[in-house]
Amino acid sequence: MDELHIVYVDDNIDTGLSRYLDEEYNPPNFQKIYVEVEFDPSLGYESLIQNPKIQAANIILIDSRLFENGRASAGKFTGEEFKIILKKYYPFIEVIVITQNKPDIDMGTISKYNASCGKSNKEYYDNTLPQYFANAINNLQIYRQIAKNLKENPNWEDVLKEKILNSLNGIVSYDELTKADIDNLVTIFNEIQDNLNG
C-alpha cells in the first residue's frame, strides 16, 4: 500500500483540525502518515522550505494567515502566496490553504471549523475536506504514474530524469548557479590549479 504523507502547518495548531487529520481522516487505498509543523514566523518561510517534514509531504494543509502576523521576519504574505513559493521548490506537493476567515472560492481556500455552523468538528470536516483530498490524491497518482513511465523510458536524458524524480521525492536540486556559487567554484578551481603548479 502506498504511503500518503499529510503535513499540517500552522503557527497556532488548531486542535480540532489536528485531531480530525490524525484520527478521523483515512484515505482509501493509502497508508496515511500524518505530522504537524508548528511554524515560528520569526524564522521566515525559508525554515519551512528546508524542513524535512515539508520536503517529505505529499499534501500540505497550511494556514492562510501564517505569515501575516507582526513576528514574520521576511515581510507579510498569505498562505496562498506561500503556496506558489512552495510550488517553485516542490512542484509535486499538493497544497490546501485553510483559513479562519471566510473562504475564498476563487483562491481555493477553505474555512476551519467554527461551532456556529451547527455541525460537529467531524461532520464539518467530513463534508469539507474529502473533496480537496480526493483532488490532491488524484494529482499525486498522476505524478506517480508519469514518474514510473519516465523511469522506464530510455529516451530521456539521465540528468533530466534524475531531476524530475528527485523533485517528485522532495529532493531539491537547483537548476541555476548563483553568482556566489560561480565565485566559489572559481576560487576552488584556482586553489586546485595553485596546488598542481606548486
Side-chain angles (χ1 to χ4, degrees):
M1 184 178 289
D2 286 340
E3 292 181 346
L4 182 69
H5 293 258
I6 299 175
V7 180
Y8 168 39
V9 182
D10 208 329
D11 61 341
N12 184 18
I13 298 293
D14 180 310
T15 55
L17 177 56
S18 174
R19 185 172 54 253
Y20 179 82
L21 295 170
D22 188 31
E23 300 171 9
E24 304 292 343
Y25 176 70
N26 291 301
N29 306 317
F30 285 94
Q31 177 188 348
K32 178 187 70 181
I33 311 291
Y34 172 71
V35 295
E36 297 172 353
V37 174
E38 189 162 357
F39 177 65
D40 179 354
S42 68
L43 298 178
Y45 75 87
E46 294 90 351
S47 69
L48 284 181
I49 298 292
Q50 297 166 1
N51 186 313
K53 293 176 181 177
I54 297 295
Q55 294 171 353
N58 298 122
I59 300 174
I60 295 175
L61 281 87
I62 189 165
D63 185 66
S64 177
R65 294 178 50 103
L66 199 60
F67 302 93
E68 293 183 336
N69 70 38
R71 295 190 308 145
S73 65
K76 295 183 179 184
F77 50 96
T78 66
E80 293 87 349
E81 292 165 338
F82 179 72
K83 178 177 179 175
I84 299 300
I85 294 169
L86 191 68
K87 285 288 186 185
K88 162 70 174 110
Y89 292 93
Y90 308 110
F92 302 109
I93 295 176
E94 293 293 309
V95 180
I96 299 170
V97 181
I98 53 175
T99 181
Q100 293 177 349
N101 302 324
K102 184 178 177 183
D104 186 338
I105 304 299
D106 294 333
M107 297 293 278
T109 58
I110 58 175
S111 287
K112 289 182 180 178
Y113 171 72
N114 185 319
S116 66
C117 74
K119 298 177 182 176
S120 71
N121 187 71
K122 180 181 180 334
E123 289 173 324
Y124 174 76
Y125 285 125
D126 275 346
N127 290 328
T128 308
L129 283 178
Q131 64 186 341
Y132 288 90
F133 279 123
N135 185 49
I137 289 169
N138 183 57
N139 289 341
L140 290 169
Q141 289 174 318
I142 291 169
Y143 299 152
R144 288 176 179 176
Q145 185 59 50
I146 292 171
K148 181 181 173 190
N149 295 347
L150 177 69
K151 201 173 195 178
E152 296 169 357
N153 187 338
N155 297 320
W156 284 90
E157 293 178 27
D158 288 341
V159 173
L160 180 59
K161 200 185 288 192
E162 182 181 352
K163 283 183 180 183
I164 292 170
L165 293 173
N166 282 345
S167 183
L168 274 164
N169 293 318
I171 301 168
V172 179
S173 60
Y174 296 95
D175 295 330
E176 300 174 8
L177 293 175
T178 64
K179 182 184 180 314
D181 293 332
I182 294 169
D183 290 344
N184 286 337
L185 286 174
V186 170
T187 301
I188 291 168
F189 285 130
N190 286 338
E191 289 174 4
I192 291 170
Q193 187 66 42
D194 290 345
N195 288 336
L196 291 175
N197 293 337

